[in-house]
Amino acid sequence: MLTFAPPTPDAIPLHVLESDTIDAWLGGQPDHVADWVLTMGFKANAGQTCVVPAKDQSGIAMVLAGIGNASAQRRSRFTLASAAAQLPAGTYSIASHHSAEVLREHALGWLLSQYSFERYKASPPHQAQLVCPDSVDAATTQHIANGEALTRDLINTPASDMGPDALEEAARDLATQHGASISVTKGDALLIDNFPMIHAVGRASDEAPRLVDLSWGDSGPTLVLVGKGVCFDTGGLNIKPGSSMGLMKKDMGGSAAVLGLAHMIMASGMAVRLRVLIPAVENAIDGSAYRPQDILTSRKGLTVEINNTDAEGRLVLADALALADETPPDLMICMATLTGAARVAVGPDLAPFFTDDDPFAASLEGAARVARDPVWRMPFHDPYEAMIEPGIADLDNAPKGGFGGSITAALFLRRFAENTDRFAHFDIYGWQPTPAPARPKGGVGQATRAIFEALPEALNL
């Protein structure tokens, strides 16, 4: 668990300083502090730290942490988090004056910097602990950080230990933790209960495909979260090259994201009726694998021509979206590691999203700035609808041409949420390719903190 230290009068003062105001700050300090800081060459550059001893050398008087100038802060986030690992063991309390929003970023970043993936290899314990600033809601911040940690753990776990069985178990554990109900439709029962595309994509795996359905809350607006749970993606018969298969343990990143977001919602007691739907499959290869040129009939009744078995995520999501759309919720959110085109468009750090709901988009974009969880709105461009209509069937799962791939995938999904007035789709990456403050290399949550921040306004809570 990622937690703050309990308040204590013995906490070491931590001054978080900007490089363009460090001289003014030093001018207000005792001579022995200013002399020491100047001697140590502390300029308050981003990530720089300075431990200032007591005047009598009996201990630590204070610690300084630099966050750079305004330009450096625009180019990064959670800068204070980079100081946490450098500090000596102890309990720290932020002593410098900042806005409530900035203190919130510092506090969350500190917690997230404590995360490490330890299932297979232990990491040294983090010795520097932070007392939550008074203006920051400690409980909510911890819920957010631990929801993010859950997402990271699930993505980081390889498919040998995170197949459909284990993903279902993770959902069951979360349901037990929060008193939610859960049901699972598995294997050939998917055909009986009319989830044919989930079954088709996952039937070649040794672990049966399934639809996980979690529900929580008995009052308030209805919120459905749908997460892509492709636990490993070989590409199917259109097999991926090895270089493209290397990160496919993260292809269940959408399901990991919605489970992490669900933890934030349930742990905080948000007044919603929450439903989480996860089609959990492995896109494997054997004699029963679905084939290019197959035509599948979806739960909604729309037929889909398969022009690439590596475009499987939209197929399993379609059946889950169709189920939710039969009793339209107040808001439906889909999260998936869906297209390489999204990465080409915006890179790994931005989470592109699609929605026709302008008020939700506005709420989300404002919330993303506060949560320091960047998103970018992309268009449901109606003229591209013709690109997903192959003629031989209602829909094409992999339009030819190579253009607008993230948009055409989003348009495909929207066809299965036509009764829901408020629908948003997030085409996330779910992976931090290089270490950054509060974000080690590996699995990472994207857009979940922004969504959590936006929900009270979006749902009028």
Side-chain angles (χ1 to χ4, degrees), residues 196-261:
M197 294 206 296
I198 299 174
H199 184 272
V201 171
R203 69 193 181 201
S205 173
D206 288 340
E207 293 192 22
R210 67 208 68 196
L211 178 66
V212 177
D213 189 343
L214 179 152
S215 295
W216 174 89
D218 55 11
S219 63
T222 51
L223 169 66
V224 174
L225 307 177
V226 181
K228 175 185 170 184
V230 178
C231 296
F232 194 83
D233 182 16
T234 65
L237 292 175
N238 291 114
I239 191 168
K240 294 177 182 286
S243 59
S244 298
M245 213 182 297
L247 275 181
M248 283 301 99
K249 71 175 185 179
K250 79 170 184 66
D251 212 24
M252 40 65 69
S255 63
V258 299
L259 288 174
L261 175 56

Side-chain angles (χ1 to χ4, degrees), residues 331 353-369 375-378 422-424 426 450 454 457-458:
L331 176 63
F353 73 99
F354 299 79
T355 187
D356 291 320
D357 184 351
D358 291 337
F360 175 71
S363 295
L364 183 71
E365 288 167 346
R369 288 188 290 272
V375 299
W376 194 262
R377 190 178 185 182
M378 300 277 278
R422 309 184 72 191
F423 170 67
F426 291 77
E457 179 177 322

Side-chain angles (χ1 to χ4, degrees), residues 158-221:
S160 55
D161 290 319
M162 189 49 64
D165 289 342
L167 184 55
E168 175 190 331
E169 189 62 28
R172 288 189 181 278
D173 289 345
L174 188 67
T176 298
Q177 180 182 350
H178 295 292
S181 61
I182 190 167
S183 63
V184 176
T185 307
K186 180 177 176 181
D188 288 345
L190 291 165
L191 296 176
I192 297 169
D193 290 349
N194 193 23
F195 300 105
M197 294 206 296
I198 299 174
H199 184 272
V201 171
R203 69 193 181 201
S205 173
D206 288 340
E207 293 192 22
R210 67 208 68 196
L211 178 66
V212 177
D213 189 343
L214 179 152
S215 295
W216 174 89
D218 55 11
S219 63

Side-chain angles (χ1 to χ4, degrees), residues 54-75:
K55 188 173 184 180
D56 61 2
Q57 305 293 312
S58 61
I60 298 175
M62 66 181 73
V63 169
L64 315 183
I67 57 173
N69 58 21
S71 176
Q73 292 169 55
R74 285 195 300 271
R75 295 178 59 152

Side-chain angles (χ1 to χ4, degrees), residues 320-409:
L321 290 169
L323 170 65
D325 199 48
E326 291 165 6
T327 52
D330 293 301
L331 176 63
M332 179 154 60
I333 292 173
C334 172
M335 305 193 79
T337 52
L338 203 62
T339 70
R343 307 288 70 76
V344 173
V346 300
D349 198 38
L350 282 167
F353 73 99
F354 299 79
T355 187
D356 291 320
D357 184 351
D358 291 337
F360 175 71
S363 295
L364 183 71
E365 288 167 346
R369 288 188 290 272
V370 173
R372 303 292 276 161
D373 190 13
V375 299
W376 194 262
R377 190 178 185 182
M378 300 277 278
F380 275 131
H381 189 54
D382 290 333
Y384 289 174
E385 287 277 4
M387 296 169 65
I388 61 171
E389 296 168 344
I392 193 173
D394 294 315
L395 295 171
D396 183 340
N397 84 317
K400 294 177 176 62
F403 292 121
S406 183
I407 298 173
T408 55

